[in-house]
Amino acid sequence: MLSCNTASKPDASQQAIPIIGTWQLISGTLIEKGDTTVTDYTKDKSQIKIINATHFAFLNHTLDKRKTGPDDFVAGGGHYTLDGDKYTENLEYCSARQWENNKFSFTVSIQNDTLIQTGVEKIDSIGVNRLNIEKYYRVK
């Protein structure tokens, strides 16, 4: 009988962040070489991120259907790991092929139905080195 009561409950820092689901991007902030660019994803662009137990995928497009350039639709995905608040994406597939086979580490937090993802995106081969802060809300 004593063994039934000896299991300790994990504290909040040991419990998994409830990241699984579909997330709508609200805003993205990129800080690169001292310049800050903020994109409002509720106006001209839209992006969702879908996360299951092992993989993630994102779909991004402009809302103006008349545009037909290479940046008007971007998609990618791969597997991820989540260790506490450390979320690491291994981008295996991407319509922007130079981004494939790279790993991106983020710190994540969830407050109510809002996911905030903050981390550095760095790819030396294409000269990318920037801080990326994304804010999502959970799609129900």
Side-chain angles (χ1 to χ4, degrees), residues 32-109:
E32 187 171 19
K33 298 178 184 169
D35 292 329
T36 301
T37 304
V38 178
T39 302
D40 180 348
Y41 283 86
T42 66
K43 302 215 185 258
D44 299 328
K45 291 185 173 194
S46 181
Q47 178 173 313
I48 62 168
K49 181 178 281 192
I50 302 165
I51 302 172
N52 69 21
T54 58
H55 287 76
F56 72 97
F58 64 88
L59 305 164
N60 174 313
H61 70 127
T62 59
L63 297 177
D64 185 345
K65 293 182 180 183
R66 296 172 295 174
K67 293 189 176 185
T68 58
D71 295 331
D72 295 328
F73 179 78
V74 180
H79 71 279
Y80 76 90
T81 59
L82 180 64
D83 184 12
D85 66 350
K86 304 302 180 214
Y87 170 71
T88 302
E89 294 181 342
N90 297 282
L91 189 59
E92 298 167 54
Y93 307 94
C94 191
S95 58
R97 301 296 295 267
Q98 66 271 28
W99 286 73
E100 286 183 347
N101 301 312
N102 285 285
K103 184 186 293 189
F104 304 99
S105 295
F106 301 94
T107 301
V108 292
S109 65

